[in-house]
Amino acid sequence: RKEVEQDPGPFNVPEGATVAFNCTYSNSASQSFFWYRQDCRKEPKLLMSVYSSGNEDGRFTAQLNRASQYISLLIRDSKLSDSATYLCVVNPRGELNNNNDMRFGAGTRLTVKP
Amino acid sequence: DADVTQTPRNRITKTGKRIMLECSQTKGHDRMYWYRQDPGLGLRLIYYSFDVKDINKGEISDGYSVSRQAQAKFSLSLESAIPNQTALYFCATSDPGGAGNTIYFGEGSWLTVV
C-alpha cells in the first residue's frame, strides 16, 4: 500500500462546478499535510497547508479527517485556470519543518471545461 | 527569473554515460533536495542536504550521487545512466525558519536515457 494515495482522475468538470478530491495516508502519526498544484510540464507549487481541522483560502477548502486518515480539497466555482494536477503531500514523521521526509501522492488531474 | 534554476532543462543521453544535473538557488535556503517524478508514482526523494558538505540519502538514492559545493549549489550525478532513470527531475529548497514546510521547486529537468 502506498503511503499517500490519490484518485488519479482525470476529473473533467464544467466551469462553475464544485469538485472535491480525497487523499488517504497510511501513517496515523502524521501531523503536517499540504496540497500542491502542478501545471502540465511545470514544477509543483504550494497551494495550501492543512493544519488541525482544516483551512480555507477563497474558493479552496482543505479538510483533515484524522480518524479516517484522509484529507480533502474542495474547489468551488471552478475556473478554467484551475486545470492542473493536485498533489497531496504528507509529512509522516509529524515534525514541523522536517522537509526531508515529505511523501507525495501521485496527483489528481483536473480539467475544467468551458 | 526563477529562484531555483536547473540545468540542463532537457537532456537525452545514452545508457552507460555519466550525466550531471545542476541546481542553483537565490533564495538563501540551507536545505536543498533532489526529487524524481514518474507517472503514477509521485515525487520521490533521491538525496537531500541541510548544509554545505551535508549529504543524506533519500528514498531512492541507488545509482545517483550528489555534491553540495556551496549553499546555493546542489548537483546530481548519474554515474552510469540506465533507461529506468528516464524521468523528470526536480531540485528544491526549503527554509525551516520561514514559511513552515513550503518546498520551492526548480522548473525541472527532463532526462531521457536511451
Side-chain angles (χ1 to χ4, degrees):
Chain A
R1 181 187 174 190
K2 292 180 183 176
E3 291 189 66
V4 180
E5 295 204 66
Q6 297 182 248
D7 182 341
F11 284 65
N12 299 306
V13 302
E15 258 187 302
T18 295
V19 61
F21 312 133
N22 282 340
C23 165
T24 59
Y25 60 94
S26 61
N27 188 332
S28 60
S30 299
Q31 296 291 321
S32 304
F33 310 89
F34 312 88
W35 284 102
Y36 276 69
R37 172 194 167 124
Q38 185 174 21
D39 292 309
C40 187
R41 302 180 72 85
K42 299 285 190 180
E43 73 274 24
K45 294 183 180 178
L46 180 67
L47 176 66
M48 301 179 70
S49 301
V50 186
Y51 293 114
S52 62
S53 60
N55 196 31
E56 184 173 322
D57 183 3
R59 298 182 293 108
F60 297 84
T61 300
Q63 292 193 315
L64 169 64
N65 184 316
R66 288 189 186 277
S68 300
Q69 295 180 212
Y70 76 83
I71 65 173
S72 62
L73 178 67
L74 181 78
I75 305 175
R76 291 182 296 277
D77 188 23
S78 300
K79 311 292 185 190
L80 296 177
S81 57
D82 293 334
S83 297
T85 297
Y86 291 84
L87 309 180
C88 173
V89 184
V90 176
N91 184 337
R93 286 196 179 184
E95 295 172 26
L96 286 177
N97 300 323
N98 190 4
N99 296 106
N100 56 290
D101 215 12
M102 302 290 245
R103 295 287 190 254
F104 288 78
T108 297
R109 200 166 106 225
L110 171 67
T111 301
V112 181
K113 299 186 173 180
Chain B
D1 287 340
D3 293 327
V4 184
T5 304
Q6 296 181 224
T7 56
R9 297 290 314 281
N10 292 281
R11 176 63 59 88
I12 300 174
T13 192
K14 292 184 178 179
T15 298
K17 293 291 187 182
R18 182 179 187 272
I19 183 157
M20 179 183 288
L21 305 180
E22 303 200 50
C23 176
S24 63
Q25 52 116 344
T26 58
K27 299 191 77 68
H29 292 167
D30 288 326
R31 298 184 173 191
M32 297 188 74
Y33 312 83
W34 275 104
Y35 289 90
R36 68 177 276 176
Q37 187 174 36
D38 299 275
L41 291 179
L43 283 149
R44 292 181 292 166
L45 183 64
I46 305 172
Y47 271 96
Y48 63 99
S49 168
F50 282 1
D51 203 348
V52 177
K53 304 300 183 184
D54 174 65
I55 301 294
N56 304 281
K57 292 183 177 180
E59 185 184 353
I60 52 162
S61 58
D62 288 348
Y64 302 94
S65 63
V66 291
S67 174
R68 183 80 184 272
Q69 309 96 317
Q71 189 210 35
K73 296 185 183 296
F74 192 35
S75 58
L76 175 72
S77 293
L78 286 67
E79 296 301 325
S80 180
I82 54 177
N84 76 1
Q85 291 178 312
T86 293
L88 176 57
Y89 290 84
F90 286 105
C91 176
T93 74
S94 70
D95 175 16
N101 287 261
T102 304
I103 300 175
Y104 300 90
F105 290 90
E107 294 172 306
S109 296
W110 289 90
L111 176 65
T112 302
V113 183
V114 298

